[in-house]
Amino acid sequence: MTLKTILDVTITTLTPLHIGNGQELRRDFDYVTHQGQTWVLNADAFLAHLQRPDGSFDERILGRPAAELLESKDFRRDSGFFRYVLPGQPRSQGYGAVLRVQYKDAFDKPYIPGSSLKGALRTILAWHGFQARGMRLDVNDLRGSRSWAGQGLEREIFGKNPNYDLLRAMQVADSASQNADRLQIINAQVFTGSEKTGAPIELEAVRNDTVFKTTIILDDFLHGDMAERELRFGNRWQWLEELPAIAQHYGREIVAEEIAWYRARNYTNVATFYQRLLNVLEQGKLGKNSFLLQIGWGGGWPSKTIGKPLQADKRAWEELLGNKRLSPARFRRQRGDVFPKSRRAVAVKDQPAAPMGWCLVELKKREE
């Protein structure tokens, strides 16, 4: 018996990918725009430039934004005043407008955290496990707040606590970094199909056709007889071995739903994109160890929960959505309304142009 199985993973972005690190940059203070580009300030270097020899500052510059202190000659990549420069610029022109920051390493190079990839894979396996184990939604079994309401369902699928969780056997590494020139500015919005659209959401994002490399390690020791007597993974271990096939099945269902949602609201561009994805999935154009996956910001509620199987029992589903303590929906929702009613997408002229975060994932078993 081998102690581990190593899978080499290649992730290719199909649409812009944003995985936020929780930080925000403010226009004119942390970043400035110049000649159609976004220049992210190196605050330490710029402050050092403004200091007098004795370490003091001219009082006239205190409290003023960087945009007012920079001169045209400063906008050079070798000036030392900027950490990196991105093509494009946020649509919001307001003073202090926020730009959400992409996950990057210490050298400002983007990468995919292993936790983000594993979280997306966990969603797929939860979707599969809910159905494979014949589970049903019962609002009376849900506990706590809406953030933790599904914890009981998740434990029934994966294991009673983290020590017994099936995915303790799956170790997902952070990807290798890509160059900063693979980043761009994305203007996104929330769309509902009504004439009124959400406020602009400005993001740093990884470009299409960017390739990331990482690894997934399956701890085969936890599949051995001795571990099985305690952990009792049983046939759930097959979920890990059959992950690409499960993910392809999941992808077909999600993509079909997205086509229907966008078509119903006459958002043709995005509906056409999803139709191309569905054609790839239904025509068997992916290899048996490849699948499509939505990662990071933009997938919304379906990409972070069991999703569709919860809605199989319409009565229980409406009961959940109507529960003020547990419901993932806003309270303005009326009984029978579609949930979720909105989508986040790249915006061009207040119309959705592309969804966020779709990637092609390819697995290859490493031969020892």
Side-chain angles (χ1 to χ4, degrees):
M1 174 182 173
T2 60
L3 294 179
K4 61 184 178 181
T5 298
I6 301 176
L7 302 173
D8 291 312
V9 184
T10 301
I11 303 172
T12 305
T13 58
L14 304 177
T15 63
L17 168 68
H18 174 78
I19 300 174
N21 68 359
Q23 298 179 356
E24 296 177 340
L25 303 176
R26 293 183 305 153
R27 186 186 185 94
D28 297 335
F29 291 89
D30 302 311
Y31 75 90
V32 293
T33 59
H34 180 72
Q35 294 184 346
Q37 295 180 308
T38 298
W39 301 67
V40 178
L41 198 68
N42 182 334
D44 292 339
F46 189 55
L47 285 174
H49 167 70
L50 297 175
Q51 272 185 318
R52 292 167 171 160
D54 64 359
S56 65
F57 293 93
D58 185 333
E59 292 184 358
R60 290 173 297 179
I61 70 172
L62 296 179
R64 294 176 62 189
E68 295 180 4
L69 302 174
L70 287 162
E71 302 177 26
S72 295
K73 64 182 178 59
D74 295 328
F75 288 93
R76 308 187 323 273
R77 292 175 184 265
D78 61 353
S79 69
F81 297 156
F82 305 99
R83 289 164 47 193
Y84 51 93
V85 183
L86 303 177
Q89 59 187 45
R91 179 173 45 179
S92 299
Q93 303 293 314
Y95 187 71
V98 167
L99 175 64
R100 300 186 187 187
V101 179
Q102 172 74 22
Y103 228 107
K104 298 188 287 290
D105 65 15
F107 302 98
D108 290 319
K109 295 182 177 182
Y111 70 97
I112 297 177
S115 57
S116 296
L117 176 55
K118 187 171 184 176
L121 297 176
R122 189 178 184 89
T123 295
I124 290 173
L125 293 174
W127 168 88
H128 175 76
F130 188 90
Q131 298 169 96
R133 297 174 73 83
M135 297 169 61
R136 305 291 293 180
L137 172 62
D138 187 339
V139 178
N140 294 322
D141 290 339
L142 303 181
R143 298 289 182 269
S145 66
R146 63 175 59 89
S147 300
W148 296 96
Q151 188 178 70
L153 295 175
E154 187 175 354
R155 288 180 173 178
E156 186 174 346
I157 293 169
F158 291 113
K160 61 184 179 181
N161 61 46
N163 291 326
Y164 289 81
D165 193 296
L166 174 67
L167 291 198
R168 67 172 290 192
M170 176 189 284
Q171 302 161 22
V172 184
D174 294 342
S175 78
S177 301
Q178 266 288 1
N179 292 329
D181 63 7
R182 298 307 302 168
L183 289 170
Q184 63 180 333
I185 298 294
I186 287 294
N187 296 300
Q189 281 180 222
V190 175
F191 294 94
T192 63
S194 66
E195 292 183 4
K196 184 179 180 180
T197 56
I201 304 169
E202 322 291 4
L203 310 164
E204 294 181 344
V206 177
R207 295 169 175 271
N208 298 2
D209 299 319
T210 301
V211 178
F212 293 95
K213 300 283 188 177
T214 188
T215 57
I216 294 175
I217 297 177
L218 301 181
D219 187 346
D220 292 324
F221 176 78
L222 298 181
H223 189 40
D225 292 340
M226 183 171 65
E228 177 60 24
R229 285 194 291 271
E230 177 64 23
L231 299 174
R232 300 185 182 279
F233 289 151
N235 60 10
R236 289 181 296 166
W237 188 269
Q238 294 177 353
W239 303 353
L240 303 181
E241 297 175 333
E242 298 170 358
L243 176 59
I246 291 171
Q248 288 192 24
H249 186 193
Y250 172 86
R252 284 193 293 272
E253 181 167 308
I254 293 297
V255 168
E257 289 180 3
E258 294 303 287
I259 291 172
W261 192 91
Y262 281 99
R263 281 182 175 169
R265 291 154 181 81
N266 294 318
Y267 292 143
T268 307
N269 289 340
V270 182
T272 300
F273 168 81
Y274 274 119
Q275 185 61 59
R276 290 198 298 268
L277 292 190
L278 188 61
N279 292 344
V280 168
L281 289 164
E282 291 188 335
Q283 295 171 15
K285 294 181 179 179
L286 292 180
K288 66 177 183 178
N289 292 316
S290 301
F291 53 93
L292 301 175
L293 182 66
Q294 194 172 24
I295 305 173
W297 187 89
W301 183 83
S303 69
K304 297 176 177 61
T305 63
I306 296 168
K308 188 66 173 178
L310 292 178
Q311 304 176 42
D313 185 330
K314 300 302 181 184
R315 181 198 60 77
W317 177 240
E318 277 296 339
E319 184 182 354
L320 172 61
L321 292 179
N323 187 303
K324 292 185 178 181
R325 179 173 58 87
L326 301 175
S327 175
R330 295 183 183 273
F331 299 141
R332 288 176 293 179
R333 177 187 178 274
Q334 300 297 312
R335 184 176 181 84
D337 286 352
V338 173
F339 177 83
K341 71 174 186 178
S342 63
R343 297 293 191 275
R344 299 168 175 173
V346 179
V348 175
K349 297 181 179 179
D350 290 328
Q351 290 293 307
M356 296 286 295
W358 279 98
C359 302
L360 171 64
V361 180
E362 301 168 278
L363 307 181
K364 183 178 181 180
K365 183 177 179 180
R366 187 181 299 179
E367 300 298 334
E368 297 294 332

